[in-house]
Amino acid sequence: MGSGALFGSDGFQVSDLSAGMRYHDAKKVRLVTANVRETFVGLFGVVEELDGSARTEVSLVLQRQRDGSWAVDGNARADARRNGERVAALLHAARDEHDIDGNDTIIQRSAATLHLEVVDARARDSISHWDTRNDSKAQLLAGLRVAVIEGQDPDLDEYCRQIGLRPLSREFAEHDIDSRYRSALTFPADNPAEQDQRWAEFLASDRAKLESEGHEIVVDKKFGLNLVQPDDWYSDLEVPSGPGSRAGAEPDDEDSIDWLEFRYGIQIDGQQVSLLPALIEYLRSRPGNFSISDLTTLPKEKTIALHLPGDGDNEAERFVAIPAARLYGALSVLGELLDPDSQLSGDHLRLHRLDAARLADPSHQPPIVRRAPDFLYRCAREMRELDNAVTSTVDMPLGLQATLRPYQKDGVGWLQFLREQKLSGILADDMGLGKTMQTLCHLLIEKQSGRADLPCLIVAPKSVVPNWEKEAKKFAPSLSVLMLQGPRRHRYYEVLEHCDLVITSFPTLLRDAEALRHQRFHYIVLDEAQTIKNSRSSVTRAAYELDARHRLCLSGTPIENHLGELWSQFNFLMPGFLGDEDAFSRTYRQPIEKDRDEGRRKQLADRVRPVMLRRTKSRVASELPAKTEIVQPVELTPKQVELYEAVRASLAKELREEIAERGFDASRMLILDGLLKLRQICCHPRLLKLASARGVRSSAKLDLLMERLPDMVESGSQILIFSQFTSMLSLIEEALEAAGIKYLILTGASKDRGQLCDDFQAGKAPVFLISLRAGGTGLNLTAADNVIHFDPWWNPALEAQATDRAYRIGQKRPVFVHKFIAQGTIEEKILLLQQKKRALFEGILEGVPQSLNFSEGELDDLLAPIAKG
């Protein structure tokens, strides 16, 4: 049916079309027959009452006239007149199913005016439906604002629908509504504040648009919304007027400023009115799928209405309309805040120096900040330049006995940038890329510049302390080095302040916390900083209490299991930068780890990027040879399978009973112990201290290892074999001795790690057995070209660290990494968990989008029977 003059003077009223749409939207219309031709339309159907109380038969006939117009004849038993709302409902349904082109001449036109008013008290008293159904809606009725269309204008009616206005009859029973307001429109809302917001946005954006198109808008004096126009804007970052951020520092000394005050608002009649509370409230009121980036897609003329505090002289609610583009920058910053309530103080927000510099960056268009201290603009510019191209212009210090690679020079430049900006950070380079060398070069620069007039403290795992002393004396011999270790260490505390470099271990830090707390340092460097991943551990609290001008973390794996570990390290570096632990968990950890919130992941990655430098071997060490990872499936022997299944079935029953009685969390230790037994069977039944295991004397993995090793040794390979079980290493020892293969072994009980490593590097033995915990860090074993992981560990970072004892700078041969995995067993499930944990690590440190949704409590999967091949 083509367009043209569709209906003549006997068309539908606007109110009937609006009311008819209610039936259509509520799916109360059933089209029974439709005869649609070029010059004739005949429709018959049934319309059910909105409350379901009755049904009415409806018919409609449209006949084209000679002048091109259409005669309209529609009847419904429940309508008192022709072409009423139920007939209109039938027409709406037919237009959905057939090619009936609804032209403007469907409506009898007249001048239309939109009246904005408040439902009067008598009308409200007659509406009881919401009061009994929903208390919050009952409160909404007390000040219900509505729009009433007077006259007939389809364009105005359609526009109101497009922006979300809905008839009152959609929310109330029709018989409860005063006849005067049955065609009135309102914004559906869950509370008065939300409805105020939507009406204010209507006045801010839609009123001007409608009036520009010739529509008349009349606002009743009782409508109660006042849209104010600002005289000017202000957006300032200021140094706190009180004492400096650091104890005893002068407030005008930029070195002392860790926190700044951000003020953002408008001027009305010469008075400043802060918009920060309104912006925070606006963010809270957005639906769950709202993204701040959505603001960039809005039309340039789109404005957002923000609620302002009352002015005391007027009871009307005050709002200000602000262009969406102007708000985007400020809302982006506010959206990243972890706890706006605690950071909002009166008329300003308390922002960390780093956040303030990002806010002050003049590259924002339009600029977010009008006025800020010069040092913030300088910091913003340098951060932007550093982010675009990390290229060091720092001169290498005199006396450095090493030639740094380009990426290592860039790393030293980054460390110097952090120091210049009074920031702390994490050097998170891949294992084996020379974090120790870059740090020593940086500290040597500090000493030669005269800035390091206090000692620098290095805290490292106990096994790595000798390596730090060795590297410092070799590459920076001009630094005076004190190794604070052993039972006689206390005598050295009196000369501590006269040393350039003090090297100690985390256990010593814990034991000597009181003495170290009273010594101020120029730098504190935590090597393998993931050691303080537990914010509640004693060693972490001891690290928090140390006193230093600057702090630095070194870790190739700052995130091993969850984001709380990253928070703990930043709480050491820059307390408050990532908020308190609860706020961080609420804002980042839960959305990223549980909800796969990609927006939050990117937000956190962007937030920490300026103070975390991460380079991988694939990006910066092109001279390294290839690394090949080989997952070697191992089929357990029949007796191993029999033992595994017997233990698995027994454990599954026992654990389910325990969990049912005590709950999962309370059963965690028993669960881990049970899973450990299954992993031990996969390695060798002799590891299992159960009577049922004594009869199983062979291991498929050990048999495979001893098949492969002789040929590998014969071909000239040097091999590292890692296991988390020292008892498994003892069994491998027995097999190697029986085969006449020379070997070395390193466990937590080994006394001279350095000599063992030197012997292996010198080729005195082709096989090096290493426990994963004892040898996962601090070893340089580039003589090895094969790495065998005899058993998988829950944590992929530890495995990667172990592999990188061989695959690091200095390696000249291709490296092959073999992972022995028992087919169909718990070990295959561990591989899946490793992949998911690695996604979390890479997603934050390297900016890779990731999906993370796993739980180590997926017990049914871990305890599944061995799959039949």
Side-chain angles (χ1 to χ4, degrees):
M1 180 175 177
S3 61
L6 192 58
F7 296 102
S9 59
D10 291 332
F12 294 88
Q13 300 291 328
V14 172
S15 58
D16 291 325
L17 284 171
S18 299
M21 184 58 74
R22 297 200 321 269
Y23 290 95
H24 176 262
D25 292 345
K27 303 189 184 318
K28 299 293 186 180
V29 185
R30 181 166 64 90
L31 182 63
V32 179
T33 61
N35 185 358
V36 181
R37 302 177 183 176
E38 284 296 319
T39 60
F40 171 85
V41 175
L43 305 173
F44 176 76
V46 177
V47 176
E48 184 181 353
E49 293 305 302
L50 292 171
D51 60 6
S53 61
R55 296 183 178 182
T56 300
E57 294 182 349
V58 183
S59 62
L60 173 61
V61 175
L62 311 174
Q63 186 78 42
R64 187 191 289 273
Q65 306 299 301
R66 290 185 178 181
D67 62 0
S69 64
W70 290 78
V72 183
D73 186 11
N75 291 281
R77 292 181 181 177
D79 287 338
R81 51 188 170 77
R82 295 171 60 239
N83 303 335
E85 58 189 42
R86 291 166 183 80
V87 177
L90 184 65
L91 176 64
H92 288 309
R95 290 174 65 181
D96 278 354
E97 297 185 27
H98 300 275
D99 185 20
I100 301 177
D101 188 1
N103 192 279
D104 285 349
T105 53
I106 192 173
I107 301 168
Q108 294 179 346
R109 286 181 169 274
S110 66
T113 302
L114 188 67
H115 291 268
L116 305 185
E117 52 189 89
V118 178
V119 176
D120 64 37
R122 287 176 302 167
R124 284 202 304 273
D125 290 341
S126 70
I127 301 174
S128 59
H129 183 67
W130 273 353
D131 293 270
T132 59
R133 186 180 62 181
N134 188 309
D135 289 342
S136 64
K137 288 195 172 182
Q139 295 174 6
L140 183 61
L141 284 173
L144 192 63
R145 296 181 176 87
V146 297
V148 179
I149 299 177
E150 183 182 295
Q152 301 155 26
D153 188 331
D155 292 338
L156 180 58
D157 183 72
E158 180 62 23
Y159 185 87
C160 288
R161 289 184 178 282
Q162 287 177 356
I163 63 174
L165 283 165
R166 295 292 180 263
L168 283 181
S169 53
R170 288 276 297 273
E171 302 291 339
F172 304 101
E174 188 170 354
H175 62 269
D176 283 338
I177 304 175
D178 186 284
S179 59
R180 176 185 168 194
Y181 293 106
R182 284 185 180 171
S183 62
L185 307 172
T186 192
F187 285 111
D190 292 329
N191 53 69
E194 182 183 347
Q195 191 173 77
D196 286 350
Q197 174 77 35
R198 298 194 69 175
W199 277 116
E201 290 179 357
F202 175 88
L203 294 175
S205 298
D206 302 300
R207 179 180 183 177
K209 178 176 174 58
L210 288 171
E211 289 179 338
S212 69
E213 294 174 354
H215 300 291
E216 183 180 3
I217 312 294
V218 177
V219 183
D220 190 272
K221 290 182 179 180
K222 297 179 182 179
F223 197 68
L225 287 181
N226 183 18
L227 200 65
V228 300
Q229 295 297 323
D231 301 325
D232 200 1
W233 294 80
Y234 67 90
S235 179
D236 305 328
L237 278 163
E238 299 175 356
V239 175
S241 56
S245 298
R246 296 194 179 112
E250 294 297 325
D252 59 350
D253 175 12
E254 70 178 58
D255 291 359
S256 71
I257 302 166
D258 287 336
W259 298 87
L260 291 97
E261 295 176 353
F262 175 51
R263 289 176 170 79
Y264 185 88
I266 57 176
Q267 287 188 342
I268 303 174
D269 297 331
Q271 290 189 337
Q272 289 189 344
V273 178
S274 175
L275 291 181
L276 293 173
L279 288 173
I280 292 173
E281 188 58 38
Y282 175 81
L283 285 177
R284 286 203 182 109
S285 69
R286 296 303 88 194
N289 61 353
F290 171 77
S291 171
I292 293 172
S293 61
D294 294 344
L295 298 178
T296 61
T297 65
L298 297 176
K300 291 182 179 180
E301 65 275 8
K302 176 65 177 176
T303 59
I304 292 174
L306 296 178
H307 184 256
L308 299 177
D311 59 5
D313 298 327
N314 194 330
E315 294 183 0
E317 298 287 342
R318 292 198 309 166
F319 286 81
V320 60
I322 302 175
R326 179 185 285 275
L327 281 184
Y328 172 70
L331 285 173
S332 297
V333 175
L334 295 176
E336 293 183 10
L337 295 181
L338 293 115
D339 194 357
D341 284 334
S342 66
Q343 291 175 255
L344 183 63
S345 176
D347 64 345
H348 67 268
L349 276 171
R350 186 171 176 264
L351 294 184
H352 189 272
R353 176 191 183 105
L354 185 57
D355 291 325
R358 292 169 60 202
L359 195 63
D361 191 338
S363 66
H364 292 300
Q365 291 300 325
I368 302 173
V369 174
R370 283 188 174 184
R371 189 183 61 177
D374 289 341
F375 73 87
L376 278 184
Y377 288 123
R378 185 170 66 251
C379 178
R381 182 183 67 252
E382 292 174 357
M383 277 199 301
R384 190 169 62 254
E385 292 172 353
L386 196 70
D387 198 39
N388 291 338
V390 182
T391 303
S392 175
T393 57
V394 176
D395 293 330
M396 293 297 100
L398 298 173
L400 181 68
Q401 303 299 307
T403 300
L404 269 60
R405 290 173 169 80
Y407 77 86
Q408 292 174 326
K409 291 180 180 178
D410 293 341
V412 174
W414 179 77
L415 292 172
Q416 285 289 301
F417 164 78
L418 289 185
R419 190 264 312 154
E420 290 168 3
Q421 299 301 333
K422 312 304 179 293
L423 298 170
S424 299
I426 301 178
L427 182 56
D429 281 348
D430 219 349
M431 284 81 76
L433 289 183
K435 293 186 289 292
T436 300
M437 177 66 70
Q438 295 171 71
T439 303
L440 288 172
C441 181
H442 170 61
L443 297 181
L444 187 56
I445 292 174
E446 291 300 287
K447 179 63 178 178
Q448 292 182 359
S449 68
R451 289 185 291 268
D453 55 352
L454 293 170
C456 296
L457 177 66
I458 308 289
V459 186
K462 182 179 179 180
S463 60
V464 183
V465 168
N467 187 62
W468 268 98
E469 182 187 34
K470 178 181 176 182
E471 298 278 280
K473 290 180 176 180
K474 178 180 179 181
F475 297 116
S478 62
L479 294 176
S480 60
V481 178
L482 170 64
M483 190 161 71
L484 202 61
Q485 285 278 79
R488 306 175 67 183
R489 66 186 182 277
H490 296 287
R491 67 175 65 184
Y492 298 118
Y493 274 99
E494 344 182 305
V495 298
L496 212 63
E497 60 184 320
H498 303 295
C499 300
D500 296 328
L501 202 58
V502 179
I503 307 171
T504 193
S505 67
F506 284 103
T508 300
L509 166 63
L510 182 58
R511 288 192 292 268
D512 296 1
E514 183 67 23
L516 289 169
R517 190 164 53 239
H518 287 94
Q519 171 65 52
R520 194 171 191 223
F521 297 96
H522 179 61
Y523 254 96
I524 293 175
V525 180
L526 302 187
D527 188 21
E528 302 296 347
Q530 69 274 10
T531 304
I532 65 163
K533 63 187 178 183
N534 181 355
S535 62
R536 294 173 178 81
S537 72
S538 298
V539 70
T540 302
R541 292 197 300 268
Y544 288 166
E545 293 174 359
L546 295 173
D547 184 15
R549 293 175 182 143
H550 309 282
R551 298 180 177 222
L552 176 65
C553 284
L554 308 178
S555 177
T557 55
I559 306 170
E560 290 186 338
N561 295 291
H562 56 76
L563 290 175
E565 299 168 354
L566 186 70
W567 179 89
S568 182
Q569 291 166 73
F570 269 105
N571 196 49
F572 162 77
L573 293 168
M574 297 186 291
F577 172 61
L578 291 181
D580 64 41
E581 195 164 11
D582 288 342
F584 178 82
S585 180
R586 200 167 50 244
T587 307
Y588 289 121
R589 186 176 171 184
Q590 291 178 12
I592 294 171
E593 293 181 6
K594 294 185 178 180
D595 304 331
R596 310 186 204 180
D597 190 326
E598 179 62 18
R600 282 295 184 187
R601 182 209 63 79
K602 185 178 185 303
Q603 228 175 50
L604 179 58
D606 289 345
R607 189 178 181 84
V608 301
R609 187 177 61 248
V611 288
M612 182 183 292
L613 184 60
R614 167 77 172 167
R615 278 87 56 90
T616 61
K617 293 188 181 77
S618 60
R619 284 170 49 194
V620 300
S622 57
E623 75 276 16
L624 273 175
K627 179 178 72 171
T628 304
E629 291 195 0
I630 303 168
V631 175
Q632 177 63 62
V634 181
E635 185 176 350
L636 298 182
T637 67
K639 286 192 174 182
Q640 270 184 290
V641 172
E642 183 180 340
L643 177 62
Y644 184 96
E645 282 299 299
V647 172
R648 181 200 60 76
S650 174
L651 279 172
K653 181 177 182 297
E654 180 184 356
L655 291 178
R656 289 190 183 101
E657 291 175 353
E658 181 76 9
I659 292 169
E661 180 180 342
R662 303 180 58 200
F664 181 80
D665 287 338
S667 308
R668 188 172 295 275
M669 292 304 297
L670 186 63
I671 292 170
L672 292 177
D673 182 64
L675 299 180
L676 175 65
K677 289 182 172 65
L678 295 181
R679 293 162 60 207
Q680 288 174 327
I681 295 171
C682 294
C683 291
H684 201 303
R686 287 174 61 185
L687 301 184
L688 194 61
K689 307 303 181 186
L690 291 177
S692 57
R694 292 173 188 163
V696 186
R697 309 300 298 172
S698 64
S699 159
K701 278 193 184 185
L702 185 57
D703 291 346
L704 177 64
L705 179 68
M706 295 314 298
E707 286 176 14
R708 298 281 180 86
L709 277 181
D711 289 340
M712 295 170 72
V713 172
E714 183 68 26
S715 67
S717 289
Q718 286 190 260
I719 305 119
L720 306 180
I721 301 177
F722 287 97
S723 175
Q724 62 194 290
F725 303 114
T726 55
S727 51
M728 187 66 236
L729 295 180
S730 297
L731 295 177
I732 297 174
E733 270 192 281
E734 293 178 10
L736 291 174
E737 288 175 355
I741 298 175
K742 290 184 178 181
Y743 67 91
L744 299 166
I745 184 166
L746 173 62
T747 68
S750 302
K751 299 299 182 184
D752 195 342
R753 291 165 50 97
Q755 188 60 52
L756 287 170
C757 294
D758 290 344
D759 289 348
F760 181 77
Q761 288 291 91
K764 293 184 179 180
V767 176
F768 201 171
L769 305 178
I770 306 174
S771 69
L772 194 62
R773 285 291 187 185
T777 60
L779 303 180
N780 188 336
L781 301 172
T782 52
D785 60 345
N786 277 272
V787 178
I788 295 175
H789 290 286
F790 196 82
D791 42 86
W793 182 238
W794 298 108
N795 192 328
L798 284 178
E799 278 192 6
Q801 284 180 323
T803 297
D804 286 332
R805 299 312 98 207
Y807 193 66
R808 59 197 296 119
I809 297 300
Q811 178 60 262
K812 303 299 182 185
R813 295 187 291 175
V815 174
F816 295 88
V817 183
H818 311 265
K819 296 185 178 184
F820 284 17
I821 301 295
Q823 281 183 286
T825 71
I826 188 175
E827 292 192 337
E828 287 192 340
K829 313 301 190 306
I830 291 175
L831 277 185
L832 178 61
L833 291 178
Q834 285 182 342
Q835 293 167 3
K836 293 178 177 179
K837 285 188 178 184
R838 190 174 290 114
L840 169 65
F841 174 80
E842 294 175 348
I844 300 302
L845 299 190
E846 301 178 25
V848 179
Q850 52 89 33
S851 296
L852 182 70
N853 183 21
F854 78 89
S855 167
E856 292 182 15
E858 293 172 344
L859 203 55
D860 287 340
D861 187 38
L862 291 172
L863 292 175
I866 294 178
K868 304 298 182 185

